[in-house]
């Protein structure tokens, strides 16, 4: 892979502080869509002030285009702040639920994986389990790879939630 290709495929972690109003998400998604950016993950959550919401967005693409996207986002009336946190010192977490078909003889091995990854079982029947794992993307990817050795029935994953470390406000 060349340096130019790597540059185009960089994952960007953005946070937006937006007005908590109907239609804001659609307008923001359109800005990305018009520039050919696909959103890898999107999390919208309340802030301490009920008038505002925080959006955490992860997208892959060309950094030069991202600069233009952020400038366009900042021009939207409902966007108070838009920041690219790529390369910043942040805490980034995700959650995944993984449903497995498993027999009694497989449970010990699965539970050992859960113990190693500090995952929990949130549902268990005679023939299936649902595992909840939280952490950074690499941890969840590693857990999923190991569990692919079993029959995965369902896999659901949240997007990243991002917060700057220290006293800086995201």
């Amino acid at each position: 892979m060349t340096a130019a290709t790597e540059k185009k495929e960089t994952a960007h972690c953005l946070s937006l502080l937006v007005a908590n109003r109907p239609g804001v998400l659609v307008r923001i998604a359109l800005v990305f869509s018009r520039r050919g950016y696909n959103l890898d993950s999107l999390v919208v959550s309340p802030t301490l002030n009920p008038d505002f919401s925080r959006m955490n967005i992860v997208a892959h693409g060309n950094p030069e285009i991202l600069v233009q996207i952020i400038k366009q986002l900042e021009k939207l009336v409902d966007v108070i702040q838009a920041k690219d946190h790529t390369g910043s010192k942040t805490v980034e977490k995700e959650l995944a639920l993984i449903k497995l078909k498993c027999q009694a003889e497989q449970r010990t091995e699965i539970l050992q994986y859960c113990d190693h990854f500090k995952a929990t079982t949130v549902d268990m029947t005679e023939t299936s389990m649902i595992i909840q794992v939280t952490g950074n993307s690499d941890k969840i990817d590693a857990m999923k790879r190991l569990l692919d050795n079993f029959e995965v029935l369902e896999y659901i994953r949240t997007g990243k939630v991002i917060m700057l470390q220290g006293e800086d406000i995201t």
Side-chain angles (χ1 to χ4, degrees):
M1 187 177 273
T2 66
T5 306
E6 285 179 23
K7 189 176 182 182
K8 289 181 183 178
E9 294 302 316
T10 302
H12 301 280
C13 299
L14 309 173
S15 70
L16 283 70
L17 182 63
V18 299
N20 192 10
R21 295 188 194 131
V24 173
L25 177 57
V26 171
R27 288 188 286 281
I28 288 169
L30 282 172
V31 170
F32 282 89
S33 176
R34 285 185 201 126
R35 292 286 185 159
Y37 251 72
N38 188 39
L39 303 181
D40 295 331
S41 75
L42 170 70
V43 176
V44 182
S45 57
T47 64
L48 295 173
N49 182 337
D51 294 333
F52 302 102
S53 293
R54 171 75 56 198
M55 289 187 179
N56 289 280
I57 298 171
V58 177
H60 280 80
N62 187 308
E64 287 83 14
I65 294 173
L66 183 71
V67 170
Q68 295 303 313
I69 289 172
I70 290 173
K71 286 178 183 177
Q72 284 183 300
L73 290 172
E74 289 174 335
K75 291 178 184 178
L76 295 177
V77 172
D78 292 323
V79 175
I80 289 50
Q81 169 187 310
K83 290 184 181 178
D84 182 0
H85 295 294
T86 306
S88 300
K89 291 186 178 187
T90 59
V91 174
E92 299 177 6
K93 298 291 177 186
E94 294 181 67
L95 175 140
L97 295 175
I98 307 167
K99 185 187 294 183
L100 303 169
K101 183 176 181 180
C102 64
Q103 301 304 315
E105 60 272 6
Q106 296 173 308
R107 289 178 197 254
T108 300
E109 183 179 0
I110 294 168
L111 291 172
Q112 286 175 339
Y113 291 148
C114 289
D115 185 53
H116 176 78
F117 286 96
K118 295 181 175 55
T120 58
T121 54
V122 293
D123 183 62
M124 189 178 299
T125 69
E126 290 181 17
T127 59
S128 70
M129 298 173 73
I130 298 177
I131 295 166
Q132 173 183 299
V133 60
T134 60
N136 64 32
S137 298
D138 291 338
K139 176 182 175 182
I140 292 173
D141 291 342
M143 178 77 170
K144 172 68 169 56
R145 275 192 303 277
L146 287 172
L147 294 177
D148 281 342
N149 293 321
F150 304 92
E151 189 176 344
V152 176
L153 299 172
E154 231 179 318
Y155 177 65
I156 300 171
R157 187 168 176 167
T158 66
K160 282 185 188 181
V161 289
I162 305 163
M163 185 176 281
L164 285 172
Q165 292 179 341
E167 294 183 20
D168 293 334
I169 303 300
T170 307

